[in-house]
Amino acid sequence: MLSANQPLLFDDLGPRRVQADFSGGTLSTDAGALLLRQVDVNLGLCAELAHCFCDQRNPLWVDHFVEELLRQRLFGTALGHEDLNDHQRLRLDPLLAVACGKTDPLGEQRLRPQHRGIALASAATLNRLELSNNKDTRCHKLPHDPAKVEACLLKMGVRCLPKHAQEVVVDLDAMGHRLHGFQEGRHFNAYYDDYCYLPLYAFVGDFPLWAQLRTAEHEAAHGAVPALAKIVAAIWKRCRKARIIVRGDSGFGREEIMAWCESQPGVYYCLGLAKNSVLIEKLGPTLAQARARHCLAGSASVREFAQFEYRTHDSWSRTRRVIGKAEVMKEGENPRFVVTNLPANGFKDDKDRSRFSPARLYEELYCARGDMENKLKQQVLDLRADRMSTHHMASNQLRLWEAMFAYLLLERLRTQGLSGTELERASAGSLRLKLLKIAAQVRVSVRRVYVQMCSAYPLQALFRLCHQRLMALGAAAG
């Protein structure tokens, strides 16, 4: 049997012998966690979020404070370790311990001897944090207040908006998150052809404001009005003179949303509208023009736009302005509709009074909502926000919020540290790969934590610039 200290020999490289062993010392693959720590310190996110939890543990036996647990969970998600099981090994990483604020990053002063040498919390401890609202046992003593967490996400997201913004566009969308078992609230959704949840999301540009986990038996617009009431109030508290435009696809073109917006001074909407025979008939002359142009243009797609007044027989309380797109492509006809209460001639203070004309409203305002779908793809593909693997809806809702908070940290890192650089529009996955995943050796002494990052890291100048900007923001806030 091979000795644990025996070197590993590989094929020679010319005259050189290739030899390896495990004597490299204390190493980490996630040196970029230090940037996340600085973003969190500047934003105060985990400190604010910790106030949403009630710590019922005996402080004499506590190794991991709530804020440290939250940092470990959020930073781990941002670094690509979205599963709790990942933390069984990740808790040995001294650099993550430094990022989480552990004053003993090597875990040498833990209360229990068997835990010494392990600075961070185990997967089981983090799991108890997420399940404390569902289980009333002597081990589950960290319940959270869902209303406070919801308000914390809204507060943190709105704080990112410029105070003097004159116009704010709120994007609404729903996304099906498929389930992996018999989770609480599971329901078969015909559109996704599977059992899933249907969370409601709201963004303003790159900033997440809302993530509400819902069961899938409801339509996309279910519960949107109460959410909008809170979102609009929070935005006006931050941007007192802002005009607010609510934007969403045809799943949100509902009477209750439009009527609520119309009842609020300074709130407007631009929503998709599902096509029907009456709308197609009203768009008929414009569609005929598009067909004629398409015949002359050959294979090129042709668009024509029209606007008209429309009201349903029963469901709408009033007549509304509808924009129709008559598009003819090689594959066939593609008529689409948008309903809005934005004035066709713009607002009095607009420099460009034609920006809400039919073609521009559809192509420049309504179609821009597609960028929000890119944010949701990052949530699912990069941060695994759809990993609803616990049984209870409350803990799955908390996991959804954790993914949103992790995204907010990455968004602030990109906006505050990387504006004007090659990564200013990078996705969460690209930021992780290019800026956070850096090999480093960590040396801990009485007086300092010395992190020696990989000399071959190709983006050293960019990392230094990001660090400089984040530290300057912290100094200015202090």
Side-chain angles (χ1 to χ4, degrees), residues 52 81 92 105 150 195 202 250 291 320:
C52 304
H81 308 290
L92 301 175
E150 177 186 277
Y195 291 90
S250 58
R291 292 192 196 102
R320 295 184 170 100

Side-chain angles (χ1 to χ4, degrees), residues 240-302:
R240 299 184 182 277
K241 298 181 180 180
R243 178 190 307 125
I244 297 175
I245 300 175
V246 178
R247 188 167 60 185
D249 61 18
S250 58
F252 296 91
R254 298 292 184 266
E255 164 67 20
E256 58 268 23
I257 295 178
M258 293 184 285
W260 183 85
C261 292
E262 290 161 351
S263 68
Q264 307 294 314
V267 179
Y268 299 85
Y269 57 83
C270 180
L271 303 169
L273 187 60
K275 58 188 175 184
N276 58 45
S277 58
V278 176
L279 291 171
I280 296 293
E281 182 180 353
K282 285 181 173 291
L283 191 62
T286 308
L287 198 54
Q289 293 177 16
R291 292 192 196 102
R293 283 186 56 202
H294 184 261
C295 291
L296 298 174
S299 61
S301 61
V302 173

Side-chain angles (χ1 to χ4, degrees), residues 413-415 418-427 430-436 457 459 462-463:
L413 173 63
R414 181 178 58 210
T415 301
L418 300 169
S419 60
T421 71
E422 61 189 270
L423 296 181
E424 67 175 343
R425 298 302 302 165
S427 67
S430 295
L431 281 179
R432 176 192 302 149
L433 180 65
K434 296 182 179 181
L435 197 68
L436 304 182
Y457 174 55
L459 299 177
L462 186 63
F463 191 97

